Amino acid sequence: MTTYLHDGIVFDLTRSFVDVLGVEWEWRGERNEAGEPLLVSPGLPESPVPLPDVYRDHGPLIPISPRPSAAQYRAAVDVNYAATVAAGYVESPAEFAARITPAAATAPALTAHHLSPSPMEQTGFRGFLNTIKGARRG
């Protein structure tokens, strides 16, 4: 039997679970005297814990979906992957690199009008200082 009913929840023991902290738990076919499945964390394989204790102490157990196969990845990206390869629409690594590398852009040359004016050339405070200096002369 690969299912276990606990607290109204049916656990499929063929799948791995993750607790709320992200620790993975899996069943390796062992049960305790009460018939409870013993779960182990891959980090502590020598310390099996009954599923009800893991559920109580580590929060709800979330089943981990099986990893997709390479064929499933190809089907998700290109449903007609075999037809695409047969038609010759496959790039070499060099062709791919040439397609995604942006063209080199030259930096614009800066001229004097790109630069902000020097504070010494401004007429505000500098002009005020010049008026004071001129007033002292006289």
Side-chain angles (χ1 to χ4, degrees):
M1 176 158 63
T2 59
T3 60
Y4 181 72
L5 178 65
H6 174 70
D7 208 18
I9 301 169
V10 177
F11 290 92
D12 179 6
L13 299 175
T14 60
R15 298 175 76 175
S16 295
F17 299 93
V18 66
D19 63 23
V20 294
L21 295 178
V23 176
E24 191 171 333
W25 296 90
E26 61 185 29
W27 182 57
R28 296 192 177 164
E30 300 175 19
R31 293 183 182 264
N32 63 9
E33 302 81 30
E36 299 167 337
L38 297 173
L39 299 181
V40 295
S41 176
L44 297 169
E46 66 279 347
S47 303
V49 182
L51 186 141
D53 293 352
V54 173
Y55 187 80
R56 179 194 67 223
D57 297 340
H58 301 282
L61 297 175
I62 304 158
I64 297 175
S65 298
R67 308 270 186 238
S69 66
Q72 290 171 321
Y73 275 118
R74 282 194 298 269
V77 172
D78 185 359
V79 178
N80 298 320
Y81 180 77
T84 301
V85 172
Y89 298 124
V90 178
E91 296 176 304
S92 70
E95 292 169 330
F96 175 72
R99 183 171 56 85
I100 66 167
T101 303
T106 58
L110 295 179
T111 59
H113 73 277
H114 287 104
L115 304 174
S116 55
S118 166
M120 299 305 285
E121 308 262 331
Q122 296 174 357
T123 58
F125 189 68
R126 181 75 174 162
F128 171 72
L129 291 177
N130 285 335
T131 61
I132 295 174
K133 186 169 88 173
R136 271 201 291 196
R137 282 188 209 159

